Amino acid sequence: MPRLLFEKTGNAVWMSHLDLMRVFQRSFKRAGLPLTHTQGFNPRPSVSIALPMSVGVESVCELLDFDLDGVSVSGEDICDRLNNVTVDGVKVLQAYDAGRKIKELSYLHCEVVFEYDGNIPQNAQASIEQLFSQDSLLVPKKSKNGMQEQDIIPMLRRLEVKQAGERELILDCTVCCQNPSLNPMQLAQAVDRYLPALKPDFAKCRRLEIYDGDMNVFR
């Protein structure tokens, strides 16, 4: 099945996953690229996004699988035609065939950005790094059975805290993204719970790259 590599930035980060799916469905139609549809009583266009994003998340490494109905178009042409009709902030970077199986996708490299209205609290960088160096760290996570405590340390492969100016810290990290998965914003939850004096006034997430189990770039 063909695959797109795309980014979602700017005001587009405020779109929900379902809205983003609708944007692509409509963009394929406007670009004259007919999609196949699923079978059954409620047929749907054949598009799927590998790792659905929460509202507010920025990314430059998203994957979307699709299937065209009876047409043969080059990857370069697909990119050009979709980018001419899609919304601001959603840009197709590459289109190609024979992508790897999604089940082989294992890790996500991202940045969790902490913004402070005033200066960064004293010793914040060292304290946050020490927090995530523990053997166990429980953070609440919403599940089908309600809120449950989840130990996030086993799903945190790497973390480095960097300072960006006087009011911003960046948690540069690599986390598990499938079976099990760690929502990077749970790192902000952990700081809120265990280091309340260092709670940022605003936190956001940027996805930068995805990898397989051997830390090879996944496409």
Side-chain angles (χ1 to χ4, degrees), residues 41-53:
F41 293 103
N42 186 24
R44 297 181 181 180
S46 298
V47 293
S48 62
I49 293 175
L51 297 175
M53 285 175 283

Side-chain angles (χ1 to χ4, degrees), residues 53-64:
M53 285 175 283
S54 302
V55 173
V57 174
E58 180 180 76
S59 180
V60 295
C61 61
E62 295 306 300
L63 299 181
L64 177 141

Side-chain angles (χ1 to χ4, degrees), residues 162-216:
K162 305 175 181 178
Q163 184 170 336
E166 296 181 348
R167 299 185 177 184
E168 190 172 280
L169 286 177
I170 297 175
L171 280 60
D172 186 317
C173 57
T174 302
V175 302
C176 293
C177 61
Q178 286 201 119
N179 304 315
S181 64
L182 173 62
N183 181 341
M185 292 304 291
Q186 287 181 274
L187 304 181
Q189 289 180 271
V191 172
D192 291 352
R193 170 181 274 198
Y194 297 102
L195 300 172
L198 305 183
K199 178 180 178 179
D201 295 288
F202 183 70
K204 61 184 179 182
C205 179
R206 302 176 184 141
R207 293 180 175 184
L208 303 177
E209 193 53 275
I210 49 178
Y211 302 94
D212 64 15
D214 296 320
M215 291 301 296
N216 298 311

Side-chain angles (χ1 to χ4, degrees), residues 32-96:
L33 298 169
L35 293 167
T36 61
H37 285 68
T38 59
Q39 302 298 314
F41 293 103
N42 186 24
R44 297 181 181 180
S46 298
V47 293
S48 62
I49 293 175
L51 297 175
M53 285 175 283
S54 302
V55 173
V57 174
E58 180 180 76
S59 180
V60 295
C61 61
E62 295 306 300
L63 299 181
L64 177 141
D65 288 342
F66 66 99
D67 191 27
L68 295 180
D69 189 6
V71 295
S72 179
V73 185
S74 70
E76 184 178 355
D77 195 18
I78 290 173
C79 290
D80 291 340
R81 288 162 71 169
L82 288 175
N83 285 332
N84 284 335
V85 297
T86 192
V87 301
D88 290 343
V90 175
K91 181 180 180 181
V92 178
L93 305 174
Q94 185 181 357
Y96 56 95

